[in-house]
């Protein structure tokens, strides 16, 4: 699958790179349940996306993102630009103020006695940002339609702490982690189905019989789905919850 930096190649690097950087920070902080840093990234993403759409309207992109003096008024102005794609003219300009409002006037922005809703807020914000990022790819992608669609489908891919990932090669950075926990952590690093051979390669394991025994145990515990016939693995919701515990434990090492 082509990377976002390639698919958004028509955007200037001064806007494209900060957008991808903050998006990755958002997804990683969300995975770690670090709500405040996650929501802070959303505010920056709003400003970057606004700068991109405004530059698209003007035919001249700014060299770097700029925060409008009044986000609500600035986004309303975009709604009058009939030359824009419908999502850029109506949908995103109405989503950005909502995201900005959550960022500035909910739990992350103020301390009070209300029930902490940062978990719910962050989930909503991540979902909305994923949709906006998909629209960025859809409108600005350079490359084949198939590559763009694959990127859109994988936008929810997790950036998992303790996993090093380079060009499809993954390694768990903790030296004290059990193989069972390593498998769950690696499975959490992508929303796509992975293969038995991938996992064995990433964990440098050679005993396939023993490996399958662990996978069957995880399958029985409903932590992941293991299709033995196809040798494919997919993390389940309970497995995602377990990964949060694993990360919390090993970050203290």
């Amino acid at each position: 699958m082509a990377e976002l930096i390639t698919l958004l190649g028509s955007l200037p690097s001064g806007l494209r790179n900060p957008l991808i950087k903050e998006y990755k920070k958002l997804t990683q902080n969300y995975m770690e349940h670090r709500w405040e840093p996650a929501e802070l990234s959303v505010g920056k993403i709003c400003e970057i996306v606004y700068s991109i759409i405004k530059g698209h309207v003007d035919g001249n992109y700014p060299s770097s993102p700029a925060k409008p003096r009044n986000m609500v008024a600035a986004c309303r102005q975009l709604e009058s630009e009939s030359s824009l794609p419908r999502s850029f003219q109506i949908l995103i300009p109405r989503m950005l103020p909502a995201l900005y409002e959550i960022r500035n006037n909910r739990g992350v922005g103020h301390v009070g006695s209300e029930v902490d809703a940062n978990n719910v807020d962050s989930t909503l914000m991540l979902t909305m940002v994923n949709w906006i990022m998909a629209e960025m790819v859809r409108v600005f992608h350079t490359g084949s339609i198939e590559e763009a669609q694959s990127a859109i489908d994988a936008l929810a891919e997790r950036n998992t702490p303790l996993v090093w990932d380079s060009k499809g090669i993954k390694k768990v950075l903790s030296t004290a982690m059990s193989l069972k926990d390593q498998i769950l952590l690696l499975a959490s690093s992508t929303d796509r189905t992975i293969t038995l051979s991938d996992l064995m390669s990433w964990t440098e394991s050679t005993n396939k019989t023993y490996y399958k025994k662990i996978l069957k145990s995880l399958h029985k515990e409903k932590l992941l789905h293991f299709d033995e016939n196809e040798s494919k693995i997919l993390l389940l919701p309970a497995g995602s919850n377990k990964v949060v515990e694993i990360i919390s434990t090993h970050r203290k090492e």
Side-chain angles (χ1 to χ4, degrees):
M1 183 189 73
E3 296 182 355
L4 283 175
I5 196 168
T6 300
L7 291 169
L8 296 175
S10 61
L11 292 174
S13 60
L15 297 176
R16 180 186 66 238
N17 294 345
L19 177 64
I20 295 172
K21 177 183 177 180
E22 291 300 329
Y23 177 72
K24 289 183 175 180
K25 286 170 63 177
L26 165 62
T27 55
Q28 179 157 334
N29 284 323
Y30 180 85
M31 179 65 186
E32 295 182 53
H33 288 196
R34 300 176 69 236
W35 310 128
E36 184 167 346
E39 294 179 23
L40 289 173
S41 285
V42 169
K44 294 180 181 179
I45 289 171
C46 287
E47 294 162 9
I48 299 166
V49 169
Y50 171 79
S51 298
I52 290 172
I53 296 178
K54 186 66 167 63
H56 189 61
V57 169
D58 296 340
N60 182 29
Y61 291 105
S63 58
S64 60
K67 176 182 177 181
R69 182 175 300 177
N70 184 319
M71 178 64 79
V72 174
C75 287
R76 283 177 180 165
Q77 182 62 37
L78 290 176
E79 293 189 34
S80 65
E81 301 291 343
S82 59
S83 63
L84 285 170
R86 186 73 174 175
S87 60
F88 282 17
Q89 180 193 6
I90 302 297
L91 297 175
I92 295 177
R94 294 182 182 179
M95 294 171 75
L96 296 184
L99 287 167
Y100 226 60
E101 174 68 17
I102 296 172
R103 156 65 186 89
N104 290 331
N105 294 313
R106 293 279 286 185
V108 70
H110 302 280
V111 176
S113 59
E114 296 180 357
V115 174
D116 183 2
N118 281 341
N119 186 344
V120 176
D121 289 349
S122 295
T123 300
L124 172 63
M125 295 168 87
L126 177 61
T127 302
M128 293 172 72
V129 169
N130 277 341
W131 188 90
I132 291 172
M133 290 294 292
E135 279 301 291
M136 294 285 117
V137 171
R138 190 181 69 81
V139 173
F140 293 117
H141 77 88
T142 57
S144 70
I145 294 175
E146 290 77 14
E147 287 177 331
Q149 188 61 53
S150 295
I152 290 171
D153 292 342
L155 271 176
E157 184 169 330
R158 304 175 182 93
N159 293 277
T160 307
L162 303 178
V163 173
W164 174 82
D165 185 352
S166 178
K167 298 180 180 178
I169 301 172
K170 298 175 184 281
K171 298 292 180 185
V172 174
L173 299 179
S174 171
T175 58
M177 191 178 298
S178 69
L179 180 58
K180 186 175 181 178
D181 286 354
Q182 287 186 56
I183 289 171
L184 288 172
L185 195 66
L186 288 165
S188 79
S189 67
T190 177
D191 278 341
R192 291 172 291 169
T193 302
I194 54 177
T195 66
L196 173 60
S197 60
D198 284 337
L199 278 176
M200 292 188 67
S201 173
W202 295 339
T203 55
E204 299 182 17
S205 302
T206 58
N207 190 333
K208 184 178 288 189
T209 300
Y210 177 64
Y211 218 98
K212 284 187 175 182
K213 182 179 179 180
I214 294 177
L215 290 172
K216 289 177 181 178
S217 173
L218 292 168
H219 179 95
K220 187 176 182 179
E221 295 175 57
K222 301 291 192 288
L223 297 176
L224 56 75
H225 174 73
F226 174 44
D227 184 334
E228 189 171 1
N229 292 330
E230 297 290 334
S231 293
K232 292 182 178 181
I233 299 98
L234 183 66
L235 193 72
L236 297 177
S240 294
N241 293 334
K242 181 65 175 178
V243 166
V244 172
E245 296 177 18
I246 295 169
I247 292 170
S248 176
T249 298
H250 288 274
R251 280 174 63 89
K252 298 174 183 177
E253 292 177 354

